[in-house]
Amino acid sequence: MNAAPPTHPQTPATHAAPRTPPIGKPGAACSAVVGLQWGDEGKGKIVDLLAQHYDAVVRYNGGANAGHSVVVKGERYALHLVPSGILYPGKLAVIANGVVVDPEVLIKETTGLAQRGVDVHGLVVSDRAHVVMPYHKAEDELREKILSEAGGISSRPGESAHGGGIGTTKRGIGPCYADKCQRSTAVRCGDLINPDVLRAKLARITAFKNATLGGLGAKPFEATELTRWALDLGDQLRSSIRDTTYLLHDLLGSGRRVLFEGANAALLDVDHGTYPFVTSSSTTVLGIPAGTGIPGARIDNVIGVVKAYSTRVGNGPLPTEQINEVGERIRQRGREFGTTTGRPRRVGWLDLVAVRYSALLNGVSSLSVMLLDVLAGLDELRVCTAYRLKNGQTTDRFVPDADWIYDAEPVYQNLPGFPEEIQNARRRADLPANARAYLDLIERTVGVPISIVSVGPDRAQTLLE
Ligand code: GDP
Ligand code: IMO
Ligand code: MG
């Protein structure tokens, strides 16, 4: 690997960000951008838009399963591990302790960015972030394969049209977080620059992994080879690896601003999502304190990012799914193909029962409604505002359990569509009345104001008023 090693800044960013961000609560020192559905809501675009007002952008959960697309001056950047704030020079881009880091992916990503002229010197990686190792990716792959062959993990035969297992990104996320909780077989980023510790750990861990994964059909892992591989990557990342807890507290203590960038999304949260079809981390604002060391009480501005319809990649319930012409039209117009795996995203109508639940969990201050332009041209727009249950009762409450959701039938409110293209709108007042009525229904049902409406991927296609 020939990555130019990013050198870490010894001191926080030299130019403090402007005092008053224009979006959300004025004076907020700590803000968060989080997805309120099943991921890919457009978090990357919003983080990029806000980053100019902050001194550091911080990832607190997930790993290379995330794919955040940002378009700057017509150039598209796909970020997986590096916080989207990297695209602004002079910002710290912090990968905090709650993230699981695939060092190979990280180096490839920073090298690719540097080759495109992006200054990656602001990258900082927590020495306590866990390392995704090759055996994690092997296990992820094998678990999905074996569980699919065993009939899939869904209680609904035929539901798993998309592969039978969880439908993971196969980036080793689940096995790495499992090792973090197991403790005795975990490797942290700090170990990558500590040869003696790493050598001893990997001798022990490979013996254990070969005994366990060998039974699943994995090829054996060789301790010396793995140690050499990991130390080489550690060497390239050495200047970025450091404690991030004091770094963030020092920034806040000196009056700087911090923006937390959620990865994955609320309905994929391991505790609060559509379990077991979730990822393995705390994706909501609730994950920020554990994933960074910053107490939740310091987060005073939360922007909940909502796509104007629903999408989901992988398996699990999607109550409003449209496997028909409407779904296909939205998929094509919205370019709904995964940033990380390229898989076609499943598409459905907007589910406000789910969004209201996610807004509650995250304590959102305002909403950012994305990809509204994609809905242009549909005769009718449908929005799920309640579920009808098996016993005939309706509810506007969400139960984060796949089996419960499979039995919930969406109850829709129908609105007239808007035939006009809206990508050139620059204020909410420019939107056709039917598009504004759609936004009003969202605000009313979720009970949270909309601060941003997005009508295209570009920074300019963003309505702030
Ligand atoms: P994230 O994972 O939440 O950051 O979202 P992704 O980047 O995976 O997916 C969102 C996609 O929608 C990206 O390709 C963005 O460039 C694109 N996008 C963001 N906002 C808009 C919008 O308002 N309209 C359209 N058409 N595309 C958008
Ligand atoms: P961003 O940050 C969409 C989904 C996977 C799979 C499940 C578990 O771009 O919004 P994992 O590999 O995490 O064990 O897979 O979670 N998933 C995402 N779907 N966007 C994401 O991230 C996702 N991160 C995980 O497709 O269904
Ligand atoms: Mg994404």
Side-chain angles (χ1 to χ4, degrees), residues 34-43 59-68 153 165-169 173-174 177 262-287 305 307 310-319 338 340-341 343 345-346 354-355 357-359 361-362 398-402 405:
V34 286
L36 299 187
Q37 293 153 306
W38 286 274
D40 305 323
E41 296 88 353
K43 298 176 289 292
R59 276 277 307 268
Y60 59 91
N61 78 293
N65 53 351
H68 298 176
I153 64 163
I166 290 173
T168 72
T169 58
I173 305 298
Y177 277 113
N264 329 126
L267 299 172
L268 294 174
D269 185 280
V270 68
D271 284 285
H272 302 287
T274 52
Y275 198 86
F277 297 98
V278 294
T279 187
S280 302
S281 68
S282 293
T283 60
T284 69
V285 164
L286 304 170
V305 187
K307 195 176 268 190
S310 302
T311 61
R312 165 161 216 164
V313 200
N315 296 329
L318 181 63
T340 301
T341 57
R343 292 179 288 179
R345 295 173 182 150
R346 298 159 62 195
V355 170
Y357 161 79
S358 299
L361 280 178
N362 281 290
F398 190 84
V399 174
D401 175 87
I405 302 164

Side-chain angles (χ1 to χ4, degrees), residues 77-155:
Y77 297 87
L79 300 157
H80 299 286
L81 267 166
V82 178
S84 303
I86 197 84
L87 299 176
Y88 277 97
K91 306 288 172 195
L92 288 183
V94 180
I95 295 178
N97 59 278
V99 176
V100 289
V101 176
D102 182 329
E104 217 163 28
V105 172
L106 181 58
I107 289 169
K108 202 168 155 210
E109 200 167 314
T110 49
T111 307
L113 288 167
Q115 281 167 352
R116 291 175 73 181
V118 176
D119 177 4
V120 294
H121 289 89
L123 180 75
V124 182
V125 182
S126 166
D127 52 5
R128 281 176 292 121
H130 282 247
V131 179
V132 176
M133 298 290 288
Y135 46 76
H136 291 134
K137 290 192 264 193
E139 183 180 346
D140 200 353
E141 186 117 30
L142 283 165
R143 286 180 68 93
E144 287 285 281
K145 180 169 169 281
I146 293 166
L147 290 167
S148 288
E149 287 166 359
I153 64 163
S154 177
S155 61

Side-chain angles (χ1 to χ4, degrees), residues 333-408:
R333 273 182 67 95
R335 296 164 40 140
E336 294 296 356
F337 299 88
T339 309
T340 301
T341 57
R343 292 179 288 179
R345 295 173 182 150
R346 298 159 62 195
V347 173
W349 295 117
L350 180 60
D351 183 341
L352 288 183
V353 179
V355 170
R356 187 174 38 216
Y357 161 79
S358 299
L360 194 75
L361 280 178
N362 281 290
V364 299
S365 325
S366 68
L367 299 175
S368 181
V369 177
M370 314 298 291
L371 295 107
L372 187 62
D373 54 298
V374 173
L375 297 181
L378 290 168
D379 292 337
E380 186 178 58
L381 302 173
R382 310 188 79 190
V383 178
C384 168
T385 50
Y387 293 152
R388 184 168 295 107
L389 306 178
K390 253 180 154 177
N391 62 10
Q393 289 184 338
T394 56
T395 181
D396 61 3
R397 294 196 163 202
F398 190 84
V399 174
D401 175 87
D403 286 321
W404 185 92
I405 302 164
Y406 283 132
D407 285 336

Side-chain angles (χ1 to χ4, degrees), residues 175-198:
C176 184
Y177 277 113
D179 268 340
K180 175 177 176 172
C181 292
Q182 288 286 9
R183 298 152 293 168
S184 47
T185 44
V187 176
R188 307 205 283 188
C189 285
D191 300 331
L192 295 178
I193 49 174
N194 203 333
D196 292 343
V197 170
L198 188 70

